[in-house]
Structure formats: C-alpha cells, structure tokens
Amino acid sequence: MVESYVIMRVGEERYGAHVSQVQSVERLGEITPVPRTLSFIKGVIHLRGSVVPVIDLAERVGFTHRAQDANEMRVVIAEVEDRVVGMIVDGVEDVVQIPPETIEPPPAVVGGLQAVYLKGVARVGNDLLVLLNLNRVFSAAESEQLKQIEQFITS
C-alpha cells in the first residue's frame, strides 16, 4: 500500500514526514519565547485554542535556514510521541506517494543527520528524499522539556 509523505525543505535539503503525523501547515507567525529552554525550542504559539511548542527543525538537526524571507517559512504542526509540536521549516513543497517497498534503510549519516532521526531514503522522481522518523527527533530529555513547557503554559 502506498504511503503519503509531506515534503519539507530544511536548509538545502528536502525531507519527508509521514502524512499521518502532520496535522497542518501554518505560516510562520509570532512565537512567544519560553525562558530557560533548549536553543532549538523557540517558544509557543496559540493555534486554534491550543498552546503548541515550536521548535526550529533546522537548528535541531544542525542546519541553517535557506529561506531569507519569513513569508516562505512554515510551521509544520505534527504529532510526535503523543504530543503536538510545531516545527519551523524553510518551506513545504508537496505531498508525495511512496510505496513502502521502495524505501531503503538510512545510511549511517545523511546530510549531517544522525541515522536515528531517519526512517529511510526513497527515490522521488530524479531526487532522493530522506524520510524523517519524527518520533525519534527528540531525546528523552528534550521530550521531557517539551512536556514541562506544556505544563508551564497550561497551569
């Protein structure tokens, strides 16, 4: 069965996130900073009545943003480990269909990302698309800090 992936630009690279984890794609708006958090946690946004922590995905994986214009940047709202998180990316391009049998295991290191973040690599047209394993983007300590931010904001 074919699976769908949302293609996101992060730095100079394109990554895919499984569409079942992506709830929406939003324009980059005002983010309220939260003090004493990890540098890649940029703060929180209010989204349709909910407070959502926002991370900078490029900073999290060790890249710099390519987009110079904030109008091009997006916040991908995704469910990661039973938590809704916004991820700042340089842009969102498309949704593609990928047969699971065409997904190859990730190499040890791809584009500076540690393989733990990667689900695999798939050919899309003439390009290779790196598929992210969003459930492994955060370490246990980072996940705990996101949880604390949610508790702090909602208490």
Side-chain angles (χ1 to χ4, degrees), residues 27-28 67-74 90:
R27 291 190 176 276
L28 181 61
Q68 299 298 313
D69 184 355
N71 288 328
E72 294 178 28
M73 300 177 87
R74 297 289 182 263
D90 289 308

Side-chain angles (χ1 to χ4, degrees), residues 26-109:
E26 309 291 331
R27 291 190 176 276
L28 181 61
E30 185 174 336
I31 299 171
T32 303
V34 177
R36 298 183 182 177
T37 59
L38 297 168
S39 66
F40 69 87
I41 299 174
K42 296 305 176 189
V44 295
I45 60 173
H46 289 270
L47 182 67
R48 294 183 267 287
S50 297
V51 176
V52 177
V54 176
I55 70 158
D56 185 326
L57 188 58
E59 188 174 334
R60 174 64 185 101
V61 298
F63 290 150
T64 57
H65 286 287
R66 186 179 88 179
Q68 299 298 313
D69 184 355
N71 288 328
E72 294 178 28
M73 300 177 87
R74 297 289 182 263
V75 178
V76 175
I77 306 297
E79 185 171 331
V80 179
E81 295 181 336
D82 300 328
R83 172 173 298 111
V84 176
V85 176
M87 299 180 297
I88 299 170
V89 299
D90 289 308
V92 174
E93 295 182 358
D94 203 355
V95 175
V96 295
Q97 308 280 315
I98 300 174
E101 63 273 12
T102 65
I103 299 172
E104 297 179 23
V109 174

